[in-house]
Every structure is written in C-alpha cells, then in structure tokens.
Amino acid sequence: DWNAELPFVDIFRLSRPWISQREGQGWGQGPKLELDEHGWIKRLEPGCHADTPMMTGLKDPHRPDGEYVCLYRGKGTIEFWNVKRTVSSEPGRIVVEPGGDTMWLRLRATDPADPVRDIRVLMPGFETGEKYKTEPYRPGFTAQWAGFNTYRFMDWMETNGNPQKTWADRPKVDDATWAGHGVPAEVMIDLCNRAKVNPWFCLPHQADDDYVKSFAELVKAKLDPSLKIHIEYSNEVWNSIFAQNRYAQEKGKELGLGPKERPWEGAGMYYAKRSLQIFGIFEQVFGGRQRLVRVLAWQAASPWWVENIILPADNAGKNADALAIAPYITFLPRPGGDPSSDTVGGWTVDQILDYTEQKALPQSLDWIRQQKALADRYGLKLVCYEAGQHLVGVAGGENNQALTDKFMAANRHPRMGAIYTKYLDGWHALGGDLMCLFSSVGGWSKWGSWGLAEYYDQTEDDQPKLKAVMDWNRANQRPAP
C-alpha cells in the first residue's frame, strides 16, 4: 500500500492485507478472520469489521485526482473512510473522491452465503468498457522504462523471507491482494511481454523442485520467446538479516557442508548447490540454456567469498552465466563511526557529495575491478543485481534526522546526477554487463533514498539521478542479450 510507483490501475491490487477490528477494542484487535483460498473474507463475527488502506505512499499532490470506482461481487456493506466524499453507492458499485491522505476501505458486513469478493478500486477513467482488464497498468508506467533491458522482480516477488514452499503457495491472479504475498508470475510475464523487457526472477528460498519446475513451465508457455530469463536463487542469501541466510545455514549443516564452527560458509556452499539444482530444472524445462541467464549472486565487498566458496562449490562457476554483485556507492555513518553519524549530520550537502564522489565511488569501482577478475576467470559475465547510491545511517545513525535530511538533499542535488554518470561510465569501462539499479520509484525515508524518483509522476527535471540514468541509457543503447 505504500508503493509510490502506482503500477496498477486497480489500486486494490496493492491494498494491505485485511486488518481485523472489533468494536470497542484497540486497533487491529479483532478476531482471526476466516478467509477463502484467495483471501476474501467469508464471514465476520458480530460487532467486527475489517479495514484495508490503499495508496498510503501517494498523498497530495501525487495521487491521481478524480472519481475512483469500487466494483465488487457478493452481498454486504463496504464503506470508504478518510475520503473527500462518497459520490454514489449502490450494490456492487461505489464511487468515491479521495481526500488528501490515505484512502481506507472498510468491510462492514458480508453475507456468508454470498460473501463480498472480487473487489476492484479503479483509477479514474478505467471502468468504461472494462478498460482495466485490457489496460491493467497505469498509463506511462511501461513507457517510463522503455529502452531498459531487464526488470528484476525481487520486491514484486516478496523475495526476502518468502515463506512459499509448494506451487499451491504461489500468488494467484485472483488473490484479494498481491501485497504481502507477491505479484503473480502471470502478471510479471505479461508486463515483460508488453514492455519487451527481460525478466529477472528470484525463486523463493524454500521452494521445492515441483515449484521450480511449474514456475519454469509457466514462463516457457507464456513469456515472449524473444526474451531472456534471468534466474536467481532467492536474494542476498549471504545477508544474515534475512531468513534465507538462516535457512541456508541450517541446510548446510544438514548436508555437512563447510566447517561446523563456521556455518555461514556452509550457507554459501548450500546456496551454490541449490542454485545449480534450480538451473538444472530450468534447463530441462527449456530444453537447453539458450534463453537462460543463470545467476550466482554474492556480496560485492567480499571477493574472498566469491573466490573461495561460491564459484568453486560444486564447480558452480562453470555451470552459470553471470556473477552478480551489488557494488553500491556506500556511505553508512553510525554513532562512533569514522566519520560518525553525528559528524556527517553537521556537514554541508557539498561535503557529503565530496565524500561520496572521492571516497565511496572509488571504493565501489575497486570492488567491481576485483569481482570482474574473478568473473573472467570462470568465463562469466559480471552483472549487478542491485546498484546505485547507498547513503543511509545505520546502527542508530538512521535516527539522526539532520543526517537523513542531508542525505535526501544530496540525492536531489544535481551533483548526484554527475556522480551517477561517473559510476555508470566506470562500470562500463571496467567491463560490467547488465546493471540493475535499486530501485525504479520508491519513497525516501531514514531507511534510505533508493528510488531514482520518489514518486511515479516525477520527471527527469525533478530528479537529477533519474535524468543521469535515462541520459546514460539513451546514449549507450545496445541490443538486448
């Protein structure tokens, strides 16, 4: 619901999973909801209702104005609150005009014999002729990234900590919401077909072989045959903050991989082993490797891991196509650090940009240089699974408001665009191939200023780093792989 890119004209697709409420109780203190297989509420207990917010990340002036149409099937009572006005309301159709803040939908009652379901909340102009069915994406969404090579769907697939194990667990097109469970594979494939952009899929870390096979079969059946498929096992399995790292450590122990006293090394070995198994399943389904880009991804700042664990394990480096790293332009001030978050919070924006250009950027390019040598040793392409600026306080530094404000100002500064140009030129000069920037559009906060734009309706004139990337990509167009 906090997504600032607004990809779908049916904004209910990214509504928050239902919040159960009981009258007279605290927020979210309602009983566990009885849901059907797609997440629609089958019944409500007396004195209870359920809420869900939409577009929490798109306050005025960024939210599209006009009348939004809510369509639904079944019998019950839907109310909208925190809106400017309800224009009209009749069974199966409600028209509302949002206010300046989050729009909330409340399911007040539902008939167990014919429960409310198939809720759609359509942006202005998309009800007529059921336009939302043939044009499901916000106008301008695909056009904005025309000419780009690949979409990496890590966030759309809710990869980090993904609990899916079997194919029955996967997100489905007719699920109540795609938030919290992931966007269905059918939708990602459809988007890539329309945009003529290659997909990069991150398979859930607990997905069994049947899940992988079924996913591969779906992609083969539905994806434009001219497009390449990038395959990655989960995301940042090296990163101890994620459940996939803990899972890989346990699997490594089960299989006796690596030294017992260093289970993190076993996790890396398991990552390589499971990656090869997933690659093999895709190769079997596709009858070869011609359309596949088999990706091994690890930490940019630790070439030792890539050299000694990931690429040698099960000879993984000889059975993949690309080594992926995330060589961010990294600046992570913390209390007591050198420089500390308090110190940097007192710097000028120009001082922050000086440090970014003179210290952080050269460090990133050095990581690239070292990792390129390892990729060359195994005949792999060097790609980025994530990239871009990484100016954010950590270990408590994120709570320094002055630091956060300065980092946001630095991201909006014209010099950041120049730094991105040097970054992209350096990557290209060092022999880098595909670079996936993190991220396209996303709201900025103390947790980072990741989006090239903060909101979907910003242009290159609004965001220097967006303009730098768009200009660079236009000037360096190469055929898709």
Side-chain angles (χ1 to χ4, degrees):
D1 58 285
W2 42 262
N3 184 287
E5 190 153 34
L6 197 61
F8 306 113
V9 299
D10 178 0
I11 65 170
F12 198 81
R13 290 302 196 181
L14 296 184
S15 60
R16 190 175 304 182
W18 295 108
I19 303 166
S20 181
Q21 314 279 24
R22 188 188 295 275
E23 301 295 340
Q25 299 294 317
W27 179 260
Q29 297 302 304
K32 183 177 180 180
L33 294 169
E34 187 178 348
L35 306 176
D36 71 10
E37 62 177 323
H38 296 296
W40 302 111
I41 297 173
K42 296 167 70 173
R43 67 183 71 246
L44 287 167
E45 292 186 13
C48 296
H49 60 271
D51 292 318
T52 181
M54 293 163 283
M55 296 196 300
T56 61
L58 287 174
K59 299 174 177 60
D60 282 342
H62 300 288
R63 189 193 54 252
D65 289 327
E67 296 181 352
Y68 288 66
V69 177
C70 171
L71 304 175
Y72 64 92
R73 295 170 57 210
K75 297 176 182 176
T77 303
I78 288 178
E79 301 171 349
F80 282 85
W81 56 283
N82 210 37
V83 295
K84 187 180 298 183
R85 65 188 180 115
T86 298
V87 178
S88 63
S89 181
E90 60 188 75
R93 185 177 185 272
I94 304 170
V95 181
V96 297
E97 187 177 352
D101 208 334
T102 301
M103 180 162 61
W104 288 81
L105 182 149
R106 172 168 291 169
L107 183 63
R108 177 67 72 179
T110 191
D111 183 348
D114 187 13
V116 172
R117 61 200 181 276
D118 298 342
I119 299 172
R120 288 143 287 167
V121 180
L122 308 177
M123 290 172 55
F126 282 88
E127 179 193 23
T128 304
E130 297 190 324
K131 189 178 179 182
Y132 64 94
K133 291 183 178 180
T134 57
E135 300 179 32
Y137 307 103
R138 171 182 55 79
F141 173 57
T142 55
Q144 180 164 14
W145 310 114
F148 279 68
N149 181 285
T150 298
Y151 294 148
R152 183 171 181 260
F153 288 116
M154 186 273 289
D155 272 345
W156 273 32
M157 297 181 75
E158 297 281 356
T159 303
N160 295 324
N162 192 318
Q164 296 166 32
K165 297 179 182 179
T166 70
W167 190 234
D169 300 332
R170 74 191 187 281
K172 302 173 183 66
V173 173
D174 47 2
D175 284 348
T177 178
W178 298 336
H181 195 51
V183 176
E186 292 89 340
V187 176
M188 295 184 286
I189 292 167
D190 176 68
L191 176 62
C192 288
N193 287 343
R194 291 170 185 253
K196 294 296 184 286
V197 169
N198 300 308
W200 180 325
F201 298 119
C202 300
L203 279 295
H205 64 278
Q206 298 182 81
D208 62 21
D209 286 354
D210 178 68
Y211 185 114
V212 176
K213 182 173 182 287
S214 298
F215 192 102
E217 289 172 341
L218 180 65
V219 174
K220 183 183 179 184
K222 292 185 175 294
L223 186 69
D224 185 323
S226 70
L227 298 176
K228 287 273 192 176
I229 304 102
H230 298 70
I231 315 159
E232 180 186 3
Y233 173 47
S234 191
N235 171 67
E236 292 197 352
V237 176
W238 58 266
N239 195 331
S240 61
I241 71 171
F242 293 136
Q244 51 264 35
N245 173 264
R246 297 187 288 277
Y247 177 84
Q249 288 199 33
E250 290 302 314
K251 297 299 288 187
K253 290 177 185 177
E254 288 178 19
L255 297 173
L257 302 176
K260 290 183 178 179
E261 66 277 13
R262 298 194 298 277
W264 47 90
E265 292 186 16
M269 295 175 186
Y270 177 75
Y271 168 79
K273 178 181 288 292
R274 185 58 181 153
S275 293
L276 295 185
Q277 292 169 351
I278 289 170
F279 298 161
I281 293 170
F282 267 80
E283 290 170 32
Q284 184 177 26
V285 169
F286 278 84
R289 303 191 299 270
Q290 292 79 9
R291 293 185 62 195
L292 307 178
V293 181
R294 302 164 299 166
V295 179
L296 292 170
W298 211 253
Q299 192 176 17
S302 299
W304 180 90
W305 275 89
V306 173
E307 182 175 16
N308 295 285
I309 303 293
I310 304 305
L311 297 183
D314 287 2
N315 205 24
K318 292 296 184 181
N319 291 281
D321 302 299
L323 170 63
I325 59 174
Y328 280 109
I329 308 171
T330 304
F331 189 7
L332 305 174
R334 66 187 67 208
D338 182 21
S340 73
S341 49
D342 285 341
T343 297
V344 179
W347 285 0
T348 66
V349 171
D350 272 326
Q351 284 177 300
I352 287 172
L353 289 164
D354 286 343
Y355 187 98
T356 301
E357 184 170 7
Q358 297 166 16
K359 300 287 186 180
L361 177 59
Q363 174 183 253
S364 175
L365 295 176
D366 188 53
W367 293 337
I368 294 166
R369 187 178 296 107
Q370 295 179 62
Q371 298 280 11
K372 181 65 167 65
L374 295 174
D376 287 348
R377 189 185 305 175
Y378 283 84
L380 301 172
K381 289 188 274 189
L382 184 68
V383 303
C384 290
Y385 69 85
E386 291 174 18
Q389 63 75 40
H390 199 301
L391 277 60
V392 61
V394 297
E398 70 277 6
N399 296 320
N400 184 319
Q401 190 60 48
L403 177 70
T404 295
D405 291 344
K406 296 285 179 61
F407 275 173
M408 288 186 181
N411 269 275
R412 298 185 184 106
H413 197 282
R415 281 186 61 191
M416 185 59 79
I419 290 170
Y420 262 67
T421 300
K422 291 181 69 173
Y423 182 49
L424 294 165
D425 284 341
W427 167 256
H428 183 59
L430 290 168
D433 201 89
L434 176 70
M435 173 184 273
C436 288
L437 291 155
F438 189 82
S439 62
S440 51
V441 176
W444 300 356
S445 71
K446 69 178 184 179
W447 306 113
S449 303
W450 306 116
L452 291 176
E454 297 171 74
Y455 301 99
Y456 76 93
D457 56 346
Q458 290 181 324
T459 69
E460 297 175 38
D461 292 334
D462 300 317
Q463 293 287 3
K465 65 182 182 181
L466 172 63
K467 178 172 172 52
V469 170
M470 302 297 281
D471 283 347
W472 195 95
N473 216 40
R474 285 188 286 258
N476 290 274
Q477 282 292 341
R478 287 174 286 172

